């Protein structure tokens, strides 16, 4: 009975109190009686109900002020009032639903409904404030003058409607201003903070503070990408994320935080928790995810600062960053003691065992797995190439994100305790297209690569001016993992033998990296090769083993020459043999070795013929053809990979077989010739430079040129010359009759389970779809060393698998 007699506002407050006490009961009584997942969901539901119960008090006040008051005003027509009542009702429903979107509408990108709901929630708060503010002013005015203001010619009910009308107008104006504000990038405010007795080595330390990002119903991956891009532009020494990073759990928002992995502050990125990470009850999972991005989480804990800060004022022990981050940079050094014939690490003799890994050939998804396996084999260091064309596909267009995120790769290596030997180029060989040099360099037709050619040096200077400053913070003496940097690669095997070029590179590297880093060269193990590749001031080394294939010999997609770790990350017998030998000379790390990557034989997959290249020309080349008097090379049309279709008309009848010849330096690499869609044969730069064709005058002569990659080793780098995709990811070429590779590796992260996977096959010669089985097969055993049948039988067989 008492509850029924309470005013409506008091009833709402009582409901809120009941929900609040149920939350306390859940945190105490139920905490140990139900599983964590159910408890987390229950607490968040109770929080939403508690907030809505409190909001009902304000909503009732808004309804009375903006609907009932307007209803009494005779100047408002019934139609306008009905429309207005509907608007207010929708507004209140959206505002109340905002808290429930945290439970049901959280994803990688915000839903439109969530954005609308939280916009209404903001307007709700503004409106409540102004309704109470104007009401308080009115009551204060009445107390002062002790009478009601006389307002002639205004109906009393109309007068009552003025106050909420003004509050609504102010709310609408401020809401529009807020929405426009939110559509702009976050503001960057710079604050200079003087610190007493700060070591000189920490002077001008730049710290970027990201506060209260609130990933969730209103902030998603796109907005976070923009924030990360702004931070990277600022180039901070330290990045600190504070406050509420997220409003939901890892399951829903894990993909949205991926851009944080691109933060590459010199002294690290740190996360200090807010209360929302604990409110979601998923704080430990968030910590693990952030650690995988090389972000160091810090709990909100009561810890004395002196336990973690160890600043010394004297120059000998001055630190470059907080003691909690590890050994101070000024105490780290790496060099060579020629007198004692050894490396020196931090002033002590040092010997390392290293292995080679090419980050550019491995999806980022697998980097940590491969590095950890190398660490568990007993390696101290890794060496990796930096392919220039992997990061600058077009002049001035640089890519250091995703699979090209070299900084993240270095951070992972350091996190696992691996040192890094960086082979920075600009030329790397590595059985990589054009040895890592960008094909766009060939736009100057007479350029001499890997020499003192002015255009070449200018391009190298611009590239190294981007790459090396990114690498400097990761040098060992600066707190990073890089102990040595290689200049060029196997230059003694190149015809130019240009010492001015090597001296230019030496000065360029010193300019960007400083004088402390060890710079070295690598050449083949013979005096003639070392003679042109070595230079005073550069530590000279040699390599052993098989070299690159010579001009025009194919190289397989899988860069796996019987490697201890296979292309798929498999642990081979050689891996364990090497580990055993290393164990004879040093202690092998304890702990489990990550297992061989699981593989699945999904079996045969039927293919459906989409069409021929001729049928699909409008889709493949939506901008239409390029018209030219003479055939243009790939470089001249600025298409550096793939295929180009050359088309002309036969000038006369060729009813009898007519010879079509590829002149010297003509076809690069392989041309598929047809007349009016009828295949005529294949021209090949090595052994098929002529072909007989037939056709009528005016018929279309088509030549589909395949760019099979540029020579990567030797003087033929200046050569002007030139599949299966899954979900847009290029798996590589197949050519069973040539071999030796008979299968292609499919990384697991390429496949998706949320929708059908799209497999696209471009068959260039004899598609089996017209006569036989049209399928491909997923197997669980690689075959990259198949029998080269063409050596015994030169007749090419139709492609079947």
């Amino acid at each position: 009975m008492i509850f029924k007699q309470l005013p409506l506002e008091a009833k709402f407050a009582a409901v809120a109190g009941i929900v609040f006490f149920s939350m306390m009961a859940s945190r105490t009584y139920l905490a140990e009686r139900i599983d964590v997942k159910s408890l987390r969901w229950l607490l968040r539901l109770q929080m939403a109900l508690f907030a809505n119960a409190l909001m009902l008090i304000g909503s009732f006040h808004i309804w009375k002020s903006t609907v009932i008051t307007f209803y009494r005003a005779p100047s408002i027509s019934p139609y306008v009032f009905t429309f207005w009542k509907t608007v207010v009702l929708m507004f209140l429903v959206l505002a109340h639903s905002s808290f429930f979107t945290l439970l049901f509408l959280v994803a990688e990108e915000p839903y439109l409904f969530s954005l609308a709901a939280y916009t209404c929630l903001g307007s709700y708060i503004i409106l409540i404030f102004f309704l109470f503010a104007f009401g308080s002013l009115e009551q204060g005015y009445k107390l002062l003058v002790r009478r009601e203001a006389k307002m002639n010619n205004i109906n009393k009910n109309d007068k009552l409607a003025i106050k909420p009308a003004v509050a609504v107008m102010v709310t609408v104006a401020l809401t529009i201003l807020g929405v426009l504000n939110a559509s702009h990038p976050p503001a960057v405010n710079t604050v200079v903070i003087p610190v007493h007795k700060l070591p000189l080595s920490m002077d001008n330390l730049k710290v970027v503070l990201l506060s209260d990002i609130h990933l969730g119903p209103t902030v998603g991956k796109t907005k976070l990408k923009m924030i990360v891009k702004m931070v990277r532009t600022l180039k901070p020494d330290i990045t600190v994320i504070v406050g509420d990073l997220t409003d939901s759990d890892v399951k829903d928002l894990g993909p949205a935080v991926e851009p944080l992995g691109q933060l590459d502050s010199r002294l690290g990125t740190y996360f200090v928790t807010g209360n929302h990470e604990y409110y979601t009850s998923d704080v430990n999972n968030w910590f693990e995810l952030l650690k995988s991005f090389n972000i160091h989480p810090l709990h909100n804990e009561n810890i004395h600062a002196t336990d973690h800060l160890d600043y010394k004022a004297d120059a000998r022990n001055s630190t470059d960053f907080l003691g909690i981050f590890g050994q101070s940079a000024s105490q780290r050094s790496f060099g060579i003691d020629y007198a004692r014939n050894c490396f020196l690490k931090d002033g002590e003799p040092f010997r390392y065992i290293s292995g080679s890994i090419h980050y550019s050939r491995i999806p980022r998804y697998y980097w940590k797995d491969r590095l950890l396996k190398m660490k568990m084999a007993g390696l101290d260091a890794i060496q990796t190439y930096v392919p220039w064309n992997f990061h600058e596909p077009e002049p001035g267009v640089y890519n250091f994100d995703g699979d090209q995120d070299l900084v993240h790769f270095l951070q992972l290596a350091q996190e696992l305790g691996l040192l890094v030997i960086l082979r920075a180029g600009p030329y790397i060989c590595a059985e990589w297209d054009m040895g890592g040099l960008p094909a766009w360099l060939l736009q100057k037709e007479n350029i001499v690569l890997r020499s003192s050619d002015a255009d070449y040096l200018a391009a190298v200077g611009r590239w190294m001016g981007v790459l090396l400053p990114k690498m400097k913070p990761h040098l060992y003496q600066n707190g990073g993992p890089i102990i040595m940097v290689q200049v060029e690669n196997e230059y003694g095997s190149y015809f130019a033998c240009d010492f001015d070029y090597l001296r230019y590179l030496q000065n360029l590297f010193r300019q960007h990296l400083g004088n402390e880093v060890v710079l070295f060269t690598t050449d083949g193990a013979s005096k003639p090769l070392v003679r042109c590749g070595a230079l005073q001031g550069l530590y000279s080394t040699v390599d052993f083993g098989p070299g690159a294939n010579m001009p025009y010999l194919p190289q397989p997609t899988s860069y796996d020459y019987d490697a201890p770790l296979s292309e798929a990350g498999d642990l081979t017998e050689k891996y364990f043999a090497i580990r055993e030998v290393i164990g004879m000379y040093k202690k092998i790390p304890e702990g489990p070795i990550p297992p061989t990557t699981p593989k699945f034989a999904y079996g045969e997959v039927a293919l459906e013929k989409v069409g021929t290249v001729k049928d699909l020309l409008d889709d493949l080349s939506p901008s239409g053809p390029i018209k030219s008097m003479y055939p243009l090379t790939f470089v001249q049309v600025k298409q550096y990979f793939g295929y180009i279709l050359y088309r002309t008309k036969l000038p006369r009848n060729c009813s009898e077989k007519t010879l079509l010849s590829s002149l010297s330096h003509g076809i690069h690499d392989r041309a598929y010739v047809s007349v009016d869609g009828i295949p005529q044969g294949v021209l090949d730069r090595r052994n098929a430079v002529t072909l007989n064709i037939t056709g009528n005058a005016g018929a279309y002569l088509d030549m589909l040129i395949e760019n099979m990659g540029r020579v990567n080793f030797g003087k033929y780098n200046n050569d002007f010359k030139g599949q299966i995709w899954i979900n847009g990811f290029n798996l590589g070429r197949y050519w069973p009759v040539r071999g030796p590779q008979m299968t292609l590796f499919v990384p697991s992260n390429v496949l998706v389970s949320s929708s059908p996977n799209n497999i696209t096959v471009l068959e260039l010669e004899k598609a089996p779809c017209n006569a036989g089985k049209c399928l491909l097969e997923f197997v669980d055993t690689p075959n990259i060393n198949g029998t080269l049948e063409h050596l015994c039988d030169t007749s090419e067989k139709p492609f079947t698998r």
Side-chain angles (χ1 to χ4, degrees), residues 28 106 112 163 221 364 382 408 473 482 642 673-674 735 748:
T28 54
V106 176
L112 184 61
K163 179 182 65 178
K221 189 173 185 177
R364 174 182 174 140
I382 60 165
H408 180 64
I482 301 174
V673 183
S674 63
W735 202 349
S748 64

Side-chain angles (χ1 to χ4, degrees), residues 342-353:
C342 67
F343 293 113
L344 293 179
K345 180 171 172 282
D346 303 329
E348 299 294 329
F350 176 71
R351 180 183 65 185
Y352 66 81
I353 302 172

Side-chain angles (χ1 to χ4, degrees), residues 188-189 205-211 227 230-242 263 265 268-270:
V188 177
N189 296 316
L205 188 76
K206 184 187 289 186
V207 180
V208 166
L209 190 70
L210 298 177
S211 177
I227 294 171
M230 292 174 66
V231 174
R232 288 168 62 93
T233 302
L234 295 171
K235 298 180 180 179
D237 298 299
I238 300 172
T239 300
V240 182
I241 305 167
V242 299
L263 293 172
S265 303
T269 302
Y270 298 84

Side-chain angles (χ1 to χ4, degrees), residues 361 427 429-435 490 493 545-561 686 708-717 721 738-741 784 788:
R361 282 187 161 104
Y427 169 84
C429 185
E431 288 69 66
W432 189 270
D433 187 81
M434 208 163 141
E490 297 177 337
S493 303
N549 291 342
M550 291 307 291
Y552 316 146
L553 293 182
Q555 294 167 342
T557 296
S558 294
Y559 188 70
D560 185 346
Y561 295 96
R686 294 176 301 163
M708 300 177 66
R710 294 166 186 82
V711 176
N712 73 82
F713 185 81
K715 65 181 180 180
Y716 297 96
N717 279 133
K721 67 180 191 69
R738 292 290 176 93
Q741 183 162 350
I784 58 175
L788 301 181

Side-chain angles (χ1 to χ4, degrees), residues 600-678:
F600 301 95
Y602 294 117
E604 296 180 346
V605 177
L607 301 175
E608 177 184 345
K609 182 177 179 180
V610 177
T612 65
V613 171
K614 180 182 177 182
D615 298 333
L616 302 172
L617 273 182
D618 290 338
D619 297 314
L620 295 172
S621 181
S623 60
I626 298 174
K627 296 182 179 180
S628 172
M629 179 67 69
Y630 302 102
L632 301 175
T633 66
F634 275 64
V635 172
Q636 287 171 330
V637 299
K638 297 184 179 180
Q639 178 177 318
Y640 306 114
F641 299 97
Y643 303 82
I644 290 182
L645 180 69
Y646 294 84
R647 168 172 286 181
T648 188
K649 290 183 178 181
L650 292 179
R652 59 183 177 83
N653 283 327
C654 300
S655 53
E656 300 294 331
K657 290 184 178 181
T658 304
L659 194 64
L660 176 69
S661 299
S662 170
L663 301 177
S664 176
H665 302 296
I667 298 298
H668 297 194
D669 293 302
R670 193 169 171 86
Y672 301 90
V673 183
S674 63
V675 175
D676 277 347
I678 300 173

Side-chain angles (χ1 to χ4, degrees), residues 38 46 69 140 170 251 305 394 427 478 491 510 608 663 794:
S38 300
Q46 289 172 323
T69 302
V170 173
K251 176 178 67 69
E394 299 176 35
Y427 169 84
N478 292 335
Y491 190 67
R510 289 291 179 208
E608 177 184 345
L663 301 177
T794 56

Side-chain angles (χ1 to χ4, degrees), residues 78-269:
Y79 298 107
V80 173
F81 174 74
T82 301
F83 173 75
W84 175 248
K85 184 169 64 173
T86 304
V87 169
V88 174
L89 181 62
M90 290 178 61
F91 164 73
L92 292 175
V93 169
L94 280 171
H96 279 267
S97 65
S98 58
F99 287 93
F100 292 101
T101 61
L102 286 168
L103 294 172
F104 306 110
L105 287 178
V106 176
E108 188 173 322
E109 296 292 351
Y111 290 96
L112 184 61
F113 182 87
S114 300
L115 293 172
Y118 273 88
T119 301
C120 289
L121 178 62
S123 301
Y124 173 97
I125 295 170
I126 297 171
L127 182 58
I128 285 287
F129 172 80
F130 280 106
L131 285 174
F132 278 103
F134 291 160
S136 300
L137 289 173
E138 184 183 38
Q139 293 301 319
Y141 179 74
K142 288 180 180 180
L143 289 173
L144 287 173
V145 301
R146 296 185 178 276
R147 63 183 178 85
E148 291 191 14
K150 295 180 179 180
M151 302 176 67
N152 297 327
N153 302 324
I154 299 179
N155 182 281
K156 181 181 179 182
N157 290 323
D158 285 344
K159 182 178 68 175
L160 290 173
I162 292 176
K163 179 182 65 178
V166 174
V168 168
M169 287 189 289
V170 173
T171 298
V172 170
L174 291 177
T175 299
I176 293 173
L177 186 63
V179 170
L180 292 174
N181 228 6
S183 65
H184 290 98
V188 177
N189 296 316
T190 303
V191 180
V192 178
I193 304 176
V195 180
H196 184 57
K197 292 185 178 179
L198 186 73
L200 290 176
S201 57
M202 294 189 68
D203 195 20
N204 293 320
L205 188 76
K206 184 187 289 186
V207 180
V208 166
L209 190 70
L210 298 177
S211 177
D212 295 292
I213 294 175
H214 283 286
L215 279 169
T218 60
V219 178
K221 189 173 185 177
T222 301
K223 193 68 172 282
L224 187 59
K225 277 184 178 178
M226 178 182 67
I227 294 171
V228 169
K229 186 177 180 181
M230 292 174 66
V231 174
R232 288 168 62 93
T233 302
L234 295 171
K235 298 180 180 179
D237 298 299
I238 300 172
T239 300
V240 182
I241 305 167
V242 299
D244 303 321
L245 170 63
T246 173
D247 290 330
S248 190
D249 51 30
V250 170
K251 176 178 67 69
D252 294 326
L253 283 178
V257 301
E258 289 175 359
L260 293 179
Q262 299 172 16
L263 293 172
D264 55 354
S265 303
R266 182 171 67 91
L267 303 180
T269 302

